[in-house]
Amino acid sequence: MTEEEDFWAEAGEAALRLGEAGEANHDPGFAQARREWEVLLAPLLEEVAEVAPPPLVWARLQAATRPARAQHVLLRGHRWAGLAFLAAAAILVFSLLGPAPSQSTVIASQEGDFAVTLELRTLTLTPEKVRLPAGKSAELWLILPGEKPRGLGLLAVGQNFTTQIPVPQNTPMVLAISLEPPGGSPTGLPTGPVIGEAKLTPS
Amino acid sequence: MDHDAARTGAALARAELAACLARVAARDPQALAELYQRMSAKLFGICLRILGERAAAEDVLQEVFLAVWNKADRFDSARGISPVTWLAVLARNRALDRLRGQKTRRFSALDEAAEIADAALNAEALLGQAQDRERLRECLRGLDARAGNAIRDAFFGGQTYQKLAAQAGMPLATMKTLIRRALIQLKYCLGHD
């Protein structure tokens, strides 16, 4: 074996991950040779059967790549532009991927807007310029077909609200926000005016 | 003529995918959705083949797309490597890293693309991918059968020389020599020396 052959054999071993445990060869030429092997052998990867990943992966990827502030910026002072954007985005995702595991909408109200996203069963509400009447709190309700409203919790005007919702697939649900006394509804059902609502169908 | 048409079609698809990769690296969510739709099944197949376990394969698949999004790995079309090959190699490497329990590879990922040997990649650019595949297959067939099988096995990970030697029922040193010789033969056969 020539020295050059030896070098290529070693780089090939590294590409096959057969090198010795401490194969910490930092030489750029070696890394390059190893990389070249990886590309030369890559046609083997084309023989591997395709497998559709579960929708969960796309949902997680979307959650990981969503710019946290984009929705705020879009909604600020431009409610309809924001709604149009979200609707367009939802249609786009649906058209590209079929039933998408992630959905978004907006609960618009006189008191301000709440951007809503639903990823699998994780519901997140982001308040946008929300101002509540003095002495009132905002309570979120989940209403399923034929059922009484279920309280999901109080919404703070200054921070995101996240909860898990127990909704079966393809069941249309309504989210509603009502004004309640501080601390929430005393009866377990909405007692004040409903200031906004939105309909979602978890996929 | 058909061959030319197929080639033009392939070149177009390749250019489209390369443009899509660039848009993903520029943080275009629409491009990410497009890339995911086109490539996720292929890449998930690779992750699953290497890791043999869905949960880990799902994690690595997400990691691969995030690497493109975060520019941790960059595709450079000027280097002549096809975007499909680039993504497949990226997925294989990440899956093998996971298999070994390494969080990330030791190389500087940002500069990795720049380290690729231009000679090899230009050669690859000249060849159609189908031709690459056929050529590799032929070259692998030309090897000692035990070595060829061992290389295929090792390529999908989780192998050591000890395991390969045990599977083939031969002494460790013999297996090492066999593989190293086969790699050199393969290199000559593939035409890069």
Side-chain angles (χ1 to χ4, degrees):
Chain A
M1 262 183 217
T2 68
E3 201 176 305
E4 200 191 342
E5 286 174 344
D6 216 39
F7 172 80
W8 279 113
E10 243 174 73
E13 285 177 328
L16 293 174
R17 312 267 175 141
L18 284 174
E20 301 303 322
E23 45 156 319
N25 191 332
H26 291 293
D27 174 49
F30 185 81
Q32 181 177 307
R34 170 198 177 136
R35 178 73 186 186
E36 190 174 330
W37 268 114
E38 289 172 355
V39 172
L40 285 173
L41 294 170
L44 289 174
L45 296 171
E46 288 171 38
E47 295 168 12
V48 178
E50 296 193 355
V51 182
L56 175 72
V57 181
W58 173 243
R60 289 197 319 216
L61 191 60
Q62 268 191 312
T65 55
R66 172 178 298 119
R69 286 182 192 162
Q71 289 180 351
H72 294 228
V73 173
L74 278 159
L75 288 174
R76 185 165 298 138
H78 298 287
R79 177 183 299 176
W80 295 111
L83 277 172
F85 168 80
L86 289 170
I91 289 164
L92 176 73
V93 168
F94 268 83
S95 64
L96 282 170
L97 297 169
S102 161
Q103 299 175 52
S104 31
T105 185
V106 172
I107 299 178
S109 80
Q110 297 279 325
E111 282 71 25
D113 295 346
F114 294 85
V116 179
T117 62
L118 178 64
E119 247 154 36
L120 293 178
R121 299 293 167 265
T122 304
L123 178 75
T124 305
L125 269 76
T126 306
E128 183 59 36
K129 288 199 167 175
V130 174
R131 289 189 149 197
L132 297 177
K136 293 289 179 190
S137 64
E139 192 161 2
L140 180 66
W141 304 91
L142 168 69
I143 306 156
L144 295 175
E147 285 190 37
K148 280 191 271 186
R150 254 188 265 183
L152 292 179
L154 292 175
L155 302 173
V157 297
Q159 65 191 49
N160 285 3
F161 173 88
T162 299
T163 189
Q164 299 292 319
I165 49 161
V167 179
Q169 269 193 342
N170 301 322
T171 306
M173 62 175 201
V174 171
L175 293 169
I177 299 171
S178 68
L179 290 181
E180 302 293 339
S185 161
T187 68
L189 287 172
T191 60
V194 171
I195 59 171
E197 56 180 80
K199 196 174 162 186
L200 282 173
T201 304
S203 51
Chain B
M1 284 304 241
D2 282 354
H3 182 248
D4 283 352
R7 202 155 189 164
T8 309
L12 259 177
R14 184 171 157 154
E16 264 174 36
L17 195 56
C20 185
L21 274 171
R23 282 177 19 239
V24 172
R27 302 273 173 109
D28 174 350
Q30 187 185 338
L32 182 68
E34 189 188 327
L35 183 69
Y36 191 85
Q37 203 203 7
R38 291 171 82 147
M39 293 300 300
S40 59
K42 183 175 193 62
L43 301 180
F44 189 56
I46 291 170
C47 295
L48 205 53
R49 166 77 193 264
I50 290 170
L51 291 159
E53 194 224 322
R54 287 188 80 91
E58 287 166 17
D59 280 358
V60 172
L61 181 67
Q62 185 185 348
E63 219 180 83
V64 168
F65 282 94
L66 276 178
V68 180
W69 178 265
N70 291 325
K71 299 189 202 59
D73 273 279
R74 270 187 306 191
F75 174 72
D76 183 354
S77 57
R79 296 189 177 272
I81 183 170
S82 94
V84 173
T85 301
W86 183 80
L87 282 166
V89 169
L90 177 59
R92 171 184 176 261
N93 280 336
R94 296 281 172 135
L96 290 173
D97 289 345
R98 169 63 69 101
L99 200 60
R100 264 203 186 171
Q102 294 169 327
K103 270 207 158 165
T104 49
R105 224 167 129 186
R106 343 174 268 306
F107 55 57
S108 133
L110 264 178
D111 296 326
E112 191 200 9
E115 290 173 356
I116 296 173
D118 283 7
L121 296 170
N122 290 338
E124 171 170 312
L126 292 173
L127 297 164
Q129 269 182 306
Q131 280 170 290
D132 282 354
R133 196 163 57 234
E134 196 38 53
R135 187 165 191 191
L136 178 62
R137 206 173 285 160
E138 225 166 76
C139 289
L140 282 171
R141 264 201 300 267
L143 302 177
D144 175 293
R146 293 163 304 175
N149 289 337
I151 286 175
R152 272 175 186 275
D153 271 6
F155 181 76
F156 288 102
Q159 297 293 337
T160 58
Y161 270 129
Q162 281 84 354
K163 273 199 216 170
L164 291 173
Q167 275 165 19
M170 63 173 69
L172 182 62
T174 314
M175 179 51 92
K176 270 193 190 184
T177 308
L178 194 67
I179 293 229
R180 290 174 66 89
R181 284 211 181 116
L183 282 169
I184 292 162
Q185 192 189 332
L186 193 57
K187 192 83 173 72
Y188 283 127
C189 179
L190 290 167
H192 306 292
D193 50 4

